[in-house]
Amino acid sequence: MFASLAKTVTLQDIISWWFMPVNIGLTFLVGIILGWIVVKILKPKPYLEGLIIATCSSGNLGNLLLIVVPAICNEDGSPFGDTNVCTRIGLSYASFSMALGGFYLWTITFHMIRASSLKLRDDEAAEDFSSKQPNKNLDATPQSQLLKGESEEQVAILVKAPQDTSPKAKGNAPLWRQVVRFLHQILEELMAPPTLGAIFGFTFGAIDWLRNLVIGPGAPLRVVQDSIKLLGDATIPCITLILGANLTQGLRSSTIKPMVIMGVVCVRYIILPVVGIFIVKAAGDLGFLPPDPLFRYVLMVQFTLPPAMNIGTMAQLFDVGQDECSVLFLWTYLAAALALTSWSTVFMWILT
């Protein structure tokens, strides 16, 4: 990410492409709303709610665009002009999208997956607590409390009760402490390696003298840029291989409902692309976008991408919903082959 941004994105580009972070934010906002609707209608297990909303809202904004955009530019009869110019500018758009997507992904999506893991831990603690309760009812019958089991809400209250006895409990903490805790949490999420790479890439790309240190044939630290680029070029195939390996994990043991899979596929490949067309067309009519049709094409494609691969990494990191995540990825990436092709044709027809 650092190598791509430092080389292809300048301060002038950041200013002129100001609508792209807004567009990515809208993809997350609309996806979260639609994912919440899917969750409320289909009612999956509580610890899967965050995962489902994340797959509906977080698209693969970096890796796929770095592959798709140059491929379209190299096609014969491409509507985006000269092949070399299109590829160079397209890689800049894709790098900028990858960096911005990383910010959203490692803050919003990271928080949702972590919240899912907390729900899973609470459920496991409640089940463990319930299983260890002795039967103190001397008049026990086949319909005793032990056999019937207590409600999940009552068990959750019993499990959490000892944690709330302190006067400095989380819910009773002063406002300023809650704000500090929230800011500390955001700072921790921003310290993720992809986010740090994007920050340094923006900094070196926007400041000329820093850019000249690492970019160009006469740059004194050119070896640093070349080394980082060499390592970065290997990340896309490695992530793709890891994704393929993870897809097989949930085929035998996942309990996710088929309707949930269909709901996620419909959100990502039917509703979001239609919303994206209206948003980009409206922004263009209002004069918010540069005249380059390739820029508008990239904005539309951002609404059509499959879920971000890093969702699987987060699921493994927090040990929550790994099998279900694998199944969702399997079907969404299979559908992406048809959806990306079809919608790309529609987008190019609209823009030409």
Side-chain angles (χ1 to χ4, degrees):
M1 192 174 292
F2 170 84
S4 299
L5 288 174
K7 185 177 180 180
T8 60
V9 179
T10 64
L11 179 61
Q12 184 60 38
D13 294 334
I14 295 174
I15 296 173
S16 60
W17 302 341
W18 67 269
F19 188 78
M20 186 176 288
V22 177
N23 190 72
I24 294 175
L26 290 174
T27 66
F28 274 78
L29 176 61
V30 177
I32 288 172
I33 294 173
L34 295 174
W36 179 82
I37 294 174
V38 170
V39 165
K40 292 303 178 183
I41 293 175
L42 301 179
K43 300 184 182 304
K45 295 181 179 178
Y47 72 89
L48 293 178
E49 293 178 358
L51 176 64
I52 294 170
I53 296 175
T55 53
C56 288
S57 60
S58 309
N60 193 336
L61 295 166
N63 302 336
L64 273 186
L65 286 179
L66 289 173
I67 298 171
V68 171
V69 174
I72 290 178
C73 291
N74 291 327
E75 286 291 327
D76 294 334
S78 171
F80 302 120
D82 181 71
T83 299
N84 295 327
V85 176
C86 175
T87 301
R88 177 175 57 82
I89 297 177
L91 286 176
S92 299
Y93 293 155
S95 300
F96 194 50
S97 173
M98 176 174 60
L100 295 172
F103 282 114
Y104 284 96
L105 185 68
W106 288 97
T107 51
I108 298 175
T109 308
F110 185 84
H111 178 75
M112 287 190 288
I113 300 299
R114 182 166 62 180
S116 294
S117 71
L118 294 177
K119 288 184 179 180
L120 178 61
R121 302 297 174 267
D122 289 343
D123 291 344
E124 291 175 347
E127 292 178 3
D128 183 64
F129 182 84
S130 177
S131 64
K132 292 180 180 179
Q133 289 301 299
N135 185 8
K136 298 180 180 180
N137 186 2
L138 299 179
D139 298 326
T141 66
Q143 299 296 324
S144 64
Q145 185 178 14
L146 179 62
L147 293 178
K148 292 172 66 177
E150 297 180 85
S151 67
E152 292 184 359
E153 293 181 356
Q154 292 173 332
V155 174
I157 292 174
L158 291 173
V159 172
K160 294 179 181 178
Q163 301 175 0
D164 296 332
T165 56
S166 173
K168 296 183 179 180
K170 183 177 178 181
N172 298 326
L175 178 61
W176 68 270
R177 288 191 178 180
Q178 296 182 24
V179 173
V180 170
R181 188 182 298 114
F182 174 76
L183 294 177
H184 179 70
Q185 176 181 331
I186 294 296
L187 182 61
E188 285 184 346
E189 293 170 355
L190 289 176
M191 294 301 290
T195 308
L196 291 178
I199 293 173
F200 282 108
F202 279 129
T203 304
F204 276 76
I207 302 175
D208 290 337
W209 68 270
L210 287 177
R211 181 186 178 89
N212 294 332
L213 287 177
V214 295
I215 303 298
L221 299 179
R222 182 185 176 186
V223 63
V224 176
Q225 165 72 7
D226 292 342
S227 300
I228 295 175
K229 186 177 184 302
L230 183 64
L231 293 173
D233 289 341
T235 57
I236 295 177
C238 286
I239 292 176
T240 306
L241 289 173
I242 294 172
L243 171 66
N246 289 338
L247 292 181
T248 61
Q249 291 183 3
L251 292 179
R252 294 179 298 271
S253 58
S254 173
T255 58
I256 193 167
K257 300 177 182 177
M259 289 301 297
V260 172
I261 299 174
M262 293 179 61
V264 173
V265 171
C266 289
V267 167
R268 289 230 61 96
Y269 301 129
I270 297 178
I271 304 176
L272 275 178
V274 174
V275 174
I277 291 174
F278 283 104
I279 290 177
V280 175
K281 291 288 289 183
D285 294 340
L286 294 173
F288 293 159
L289 306 179
D292 185 9
L294 181 59
F295 183 75
R296 304 186 183 203
Y297 170 79
V298 171
L299 295 182
M300 290 182 180
V301 169
Q302 287 173 346
F303 284 89
T304 321
L305 297 168
M309 294 182 182
N310 282 325
I311 295 176
T313 304
M314 296 175 190
Q316 291 182 339
L317 176 65
F318 291 109
D319 192 22
V320 55
Q322 297 180 54
D323 296 340
E324 291 80 2
C325 182
S326 298
V327 172
L328 286 173
F329 272 29
L330 173 64
W331 291 107
T332 52
Y333 274 83
L334 283 175
L338 177 61
L340 271 176
T341 304
S342 304
W343 282 112
S344 292
T345 305
V346 174
F347 297 156
M348 287 188 284
W349 175 75
I350 292 173
L351 296 172
T352 55

